[in-house]
Structure formats: C-alpha cells, structure tokens
Amino acid sequence: MKHILPICAAAALSLFGPAAGTAEEIDRSKLADGWLMHFHPIQDNSKPDATNGRSLATLLYTGGFPVGYDDAFELDPELKKYNERYWLIEYDGFLNLTENGPYTFALTYEWPGGAQCGAKLELEGKQLVELPITKNLAAGPRNAYADAQLQAGLYRAKTKVYCTNTNGYNPQFDLAIRGPSDPKPIPVSSNMMKHLRP
C-alpha cells in the first residue's frame, strides 16, 4: 500500500508568485555536471532537517537518483568512520529544466521496517516537497509531490535526506520530475544536475 502525503497544488504554485517561476541567472561558463553533497551531523532529533553550521564534508556527486542513505559514505573511504551516527545529507546544485510549462516534482522513500527517515526538496530557497519522519508505519514506499509552472532554465535545488534510525537498513530515496512533455515522472539523472565550479 502506498502512503501518499499530498501537497496542495495551489500552495506550490504560490511558491513562485502569480507569474511563472523563472530560473536563476548564473554564469553558465562555470557550470559542471553533478551536485555538491554536504554532510551535516544531526544534532537535534526533533529537527533532523536543520543544518547547523558548516558541513563535515562536501563531495561532488555525479550520479543520479535514486540514492541510498548509506551509499553516500562509500564515496570516500575517509567518511566510513563517521557513519556510526545519523546525518542530514544535502544534494545542492542546479536543476536544468529544458521546457516552459507545468512540472511535477515527486519525492519517494522506500520505507524499510523500523527506519525513521525523511526527505525534502527546496527550489529557489523555498520548500516544495516534504516527506517528514513518520513512525510506526508498515514497510513500503511513501511519496509526496507538488506542481509548479516554470520556465526553462537552471533552478537552485537542495534535496535533503536524513535518518534518526535506520534499523540496519539502507533506505532508498528518489527525486523524479515530470516535465511538460513527459508522460510520467522520470528520476533526476546526472545530466540534469549542475553545480558551479569555484
């Protein structure tokens, strides 16, 4: 059984005001593939999605979604010694949207029994989709989604995944987008993800 946490479409549309959302103006010559991945230790289990100061590490992530919570610590051998505690992992960069029109953004979390995890998507600094931690649900997928009317371009996006208990599992998180010409949501791939080189 799927647990759907709907987000009001009207609220999503108001995220960008009465007109269609516009992409951020940046120097495209400094763009490169991939997102930056920031590792923030969770210091307060009542606010697991809050970042507190500078991240412990920042790595370049050039893969796509879905992503495994524990897989992030396999990217660098030095990080393995830190995964004895729980983390907020933030994928930070730009989504490259190629068409004008309606978009649907979907977050999915494959819920293993006993794990306590959540996720959220921020676009242009505002929360668009959230999967909050919910306890005592049966194992299975959970999802949430939101609609927005957008113009083609680059949008600053932050996808945050976090756990306060994994119960020994490796929870999987997916971010998918349905563009104006797409028949269904498509997982965000590496060619849709950009970051600014220093």
Side-chain angles (χ1 to χ4, degrees), residues 59-122:
L59 302 178
L60 178 62
Y61 179 67
T62 56
F65 284 83
V67 295
Y69 179 75
D70 288 334
D71 295 347
F73 294 92
E74 300 296 323
L75 296 175
D76 187 316
E78 286 297 311
L79 287 178
K80 289 183 180 181
K81 62 188 173 190
Y82 296 106
N83 70 351
E84 79 286 352
R85 62 175 299 161
Y86 294 109
W87 296 82
L88 162 66
I89 303 170
E90 181 181 68
Y91 298 83
D92 179 12
F94 295 88
L95 278 173
N96 186 25
L97 305 182
T98 58
E99 298 180 89
N100 298 338
Y103 282 84
T104 300
F105 297 83
L107 273 178
T108 303
Y109 163 42
E110 192 61 39
W111 177 275
Q116 296 174 5
C117 301
K120 64 170 52 178
L121 169 66
E122 296 175 358

